Amino acid sequence: GIQVEQSPPDLILQEGANSTLRCNFSDSVNNLQWFHQNPWGQLINLFYIPSGTKQNGRLSATTVATERYSLLYISSSQTTDSGVYFCAVEGFGNEKLTFGTGTRLTIIP
Amino acid sequence: GAVVSQHPSWVICKSGTSVKIECRSLDFQATTMFWYRQFPKQSLMLMATSNEGSKATYEQGVEKDKFLINHASLTLSTLTVTSAHPEDSSFYICSAGRGVRGSYAEAFFGQGTRLTVV
């Protein structure tokens, strides 16, 4: 099946810093999503981005499907940004989302 | 975004009993729903695909007799953990997407259920 790797696994930043999270996948994808899992376990949809670039406030994402990677940018980090960020992909002909390994982000005041 | 509601949020049960978890799509119909399991500090692992009106499809290594899935309507799927044991303790999360079968589209997730078996 498709493999999804995220980097870095852990990231600790001071409040106000910017960060880039990466998601690499091993095959062509039909769908790619970024999620933020909060401390209570809820998965919050950030972006539905099988290709191209999107922005939502301090967050933006870019997927380069031909090179099989996606990037999530977080600017001016806040403590509420802390949590685990997952990317998840769906391969062609496969209705299932495969989750990446996750990046645990900790923002220090 | 679409709303997927999962209930209960947490449950503690005795070893040997069964627990039912409900997953509802509140503002759209979902022909397909998905059940995931997450252990502490790990990623989400797909357990099974729940198909409305037909049998669920289980991932390799998932015991279908232990994890019973029923998708009786276009807005409700249930996961029953039968004869639960402490090793079944985990965080269970469901998801649904707006796409028709064969076209998944954006997925939305329930709040998750934290199961503790004592």
Side-chain angles (χ1 to χ4, degrees):
Chain A
I2 196 165
Q3 305 298 313
V4 187
E5 294 287 332
Q6 291 183 242
S7 60
D10 293 278
L11 187 58
I12 301 174
L13 296 172
Q14 204 80 35
E15 197 169 22
N18 302 328
S19 58
T20 301
L21 283 57
R22 187 177 179 103
C23 171
N24 292 331
F25 41 95
S26 62
D27 205 346
S28 300
V29 298
N30 190 36
N31 175 12
L32 186 146
Q33 292 184 240
W34 282 97
F35 298 94
H36 175 209
Q37 187 171 38
N38 67 21
W40 297 272
Q42 173 77 57
L43 281 168
I44 310 298
N45 288 45
L46 297 178
F47 293 102
Y48 170 64
I49 187 167
S51 64
T53 298
K54 290 186 178 180
Q55 179 156 8
N56 184 2
R58 297 182 294 105
L59 274 60
S60 64
T62 295
T63 297
V64 184
T66 53
E67 297 187 21
R68 300 181 184 170
Y69 73 89
S70 183
L71 302 173
L72 177 69
Y73 305 97
I74 304 174
S75 64
S76 304
S77 300
Q78 300 175 359
T79 56
T80 51
D81 294 332
S82 295
V84 182
Y85 289 80
F86 289 104
C87 70
V89 304
E90 174 199 350
F92 283 96
N94 186 340
E95 292 183 9
K96 304 180 287 190
L97 274 182
T98 299
F99 276 76
T101 47
T103 292
R104 183 173 299 275
L105 177 65
T106 303
I107 304 299
I108 301 171
Chain B
V3 179
V4 177
S5 178
Q6 190 172 337
H7 177 81
S9 298
W10 58 270
V11 58
I12 302 172
C13 71
K14 289 186 176 180
S15 189
T17 62
S18 296
V19 174
K20 180 185 283 188
I21 303 169
E22 292 187 348
C23 180
R24 295 180 184 273
S25 56
L26 298 186
D27 54 355
F28 67 101
Q29 294 182 331
T31 55
T32 306
M33 293 185 176
F34 300 84
W35 287 96
Y36 294 82
R37 183 173 181 174
Q38 185 180 30
F39 290 108
K41 297 192 184 300
Q42 294 188 19
S43 186
L44 280 74
M45 297 299 295
L46 181 65
M47 299 175 63
T49 302
S50 173
N51 303 301
E52 185 269 335
S54 63
K55 289 183 179 180
T57 305
Y58 291 82
E59 295 300 300
Q60 192 171 7
V62 177
E63 299 177 57
K64 57 183 68 177
D65 293 330
K66 167 166 276 294
F67 299 102
L68 299 179
I69 291 173
N70 184 274
H71 195 150
S73 77
L74 288 171
T75 59
L76 174 63
S77 175
T78 59
L79 168 68
T80 301
V81 183
T82 64
S83 186
H85 289 96
E87 56 266 30
D88 298 324
S89 298
S90 189
F91 191 60
Y92 294 86
I93 316 175
C94 69
S95 81
R98 281 205 183 92
V100 298
R101 195 169 296 166
S103 175
Y104 189 55
E106 185 174 4
F108 296 89
F109 284 78
Q111 305 94 315
T113 298
R114 195 165 302 281
L115 171 63
T116 303
V117 184
V118 298

